[in-house]
């Protein structure tokens, strides 16, 4: 069975949480496409050209350790605006999306550019303040020394860069279900997402 669930939206909206739960429930493979840009960003911060880093990216570069820092988030949104970086990562994501057995991919352009034919599209949002608070709790919970104000500034900056770039900007696909999780618990968001998937599964 080929079945793709595309989940897009801004930082800390709850995309990954929903993607992991849907993948677990239906036995689909899961790709967090943000890790591709984060892995390129890490190499760029180490001095490699971002284009070369994207062309040479190896799946083993995606192990999450150390890729979720604020510095890498910010650099990821910069390298993600480079057209050559994005095009070097398209093939891997498309193949993953259409792999046998079903796939969930979360990111910014999955339902619009990577897999416009996805059977299920979700665009998950929440207010910048709610998202910053969620991300701040995560970062401080894992020992990072940062303020809520600094995280909110990063959220605004990345929202702007991701939405305004010329190549594959973050935008909801016309046929995406928009899910504002600002006032939703994780369970409520998962229930809404799962109902949408359930209605589209092949019988
Ligand atoms: O993948 P994305 O950056 O969109 O967000 P995430 O990693 O799924 O969620 C960011 C944080 O918000 C996590 O700590 C989630 O547990 C939390 N969260 C929440 O508090 N309420 C929700 N409805 C969804 C996520
Ligand atoms: O988890 P969070 O939503 O904070 O970030 P992420 O999904 O790991 O993505 C990090 C950065 O990579 C984003 O700010 C985007 O600039 C970029 N990205 C992208 O351009 N396209 C994607 N499909 C996924 C991520």
């Amino acid at each position: 069975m080929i079945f793709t669930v595309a989940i897009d939206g801004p930082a800390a909206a709850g995309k990954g949480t929903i993607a992991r739960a849907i993948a677990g429930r239906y036995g689909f493979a899961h790709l967090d496409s943000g890790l591709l840009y984060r892995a390129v960003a890490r190499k760029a911060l180490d001095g490699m050209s971002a284009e070369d880093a994207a062309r040479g990216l190896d799946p083993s570069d995606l192990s999450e350790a150390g890729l979720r820092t604020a510095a890498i988030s910010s650099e990821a949104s910069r390298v993600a605006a480079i057209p050559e970086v994005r095009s070097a990562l398209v093939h891997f994501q498309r193949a993953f999306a259409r792999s046998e057995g079903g796939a969930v991919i979360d990111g910014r352009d999955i339902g619009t550019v990577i897999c416009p034919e996805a059977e299920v599209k979700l665009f998950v949002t929440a207010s910048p303040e709610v998202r910053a608070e969620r991300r701040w709790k995560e970062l401080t919970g894992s020992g990072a020394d940062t303020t809520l104000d600094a995280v909110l500034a990063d959220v605004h900056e990345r929202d702007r860069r991701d939405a305004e770039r010329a190549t594959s900007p973050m935008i909801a696909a016309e046929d995406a279900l928009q899910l504002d999780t600002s006032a939703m618990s994780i369970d409520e968001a998962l229930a809404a997402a799962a109902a949408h998937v359930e209605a589209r599964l092949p019988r």
Side-chain angles (χ1 to χ4, degrees):
M1 177 194 56
I2 306 290
F3 189 85
T4 309
V5 181
I7 305 182
D8 292 304
K15 305 180 299 293
T17 302
I18 292 173
R20 277 189 298 276
I22 297 290
R25 180 178 306 197
Y26 300 106
F28 298 160
H30 171 222
L31 173 66
D32 172 355
S33 66
L35 288 176
L36 300 169
Y37 297 91
R38 288 174 182 272
V40 171
R42 170 145 69 191
K43 288 175 191 268
L45 288 171
D46 286 344
M48 197 189 274
S49 94
E51 291 88 337
D52 286 348
R55 281 184 213 110
L57 205 65
D58 186 283
S60 67
D61 294 329
L62 303 186
S63 69
E64 292 190 36
L67 288 179
R68 302 223 174 256
T69 65
I72 290 183
S73 298
S74 179
E75 181 66 10
S77 77
R78 275 189 218 103
V79 301
I82 304 171
E84 292 77 12
V85 166
R86 303 201 72 86
S87 62
L89 302 175
V90 165
H91 177 76
F92 174 76
Q93 294 176 84
R94 283 206 177 128
F96 191 99
R98 299 316 261 172
S99 57
E100 179 56 39
V104 187
I105 309 192
D106 64 293
R108 300 291 185 288
D109 62 339
I110 308 305
T112 49
V113 172
I114 298 299
C115 194
E117 70 274 38
E119 283 73 14
V120 177
K121 297 182 188 179
L122 294 170
F123 195 81
V124 185
T125 62
S127 73
E129 291 72 22
V130 165
R131 291 187 283 121
E133 174 124 24
R134 289 175 183 169
R135 186 49 48 85
W136 177 72
K137 280 190 185 145
E138 269 182 337
L139 287 168
T140 51
S142 60
D145 178 19
T146 185
T147 65
L148 182 55
D149 278 352
V151 176
L152 181 60
D154 170 69
V155 159
H156 278 304
E157 180 64 15
R158 281 206 287 148
D159 283 358
R160 191 189 58 73
R161 268 200 217 114
D162 290 345
E164 291 181 2
R165 67 175 173 240
T167 310
S168 305
M170 171 177 71
I171 185 174
E174 277 181 21
D175 51 349
L177 173 74
Q178 300 222 23
L179 202 61
D180 183 339
T181 70
S182 300
M184 285 186 188
S185 68
I186 292 179
D187 284 349
E188 287 167 338
L190 290 180
H196 195 62
V197 173
E198 201 76 39
R200 282 158 185 77
L201 282 175
R203 294 285 149 215

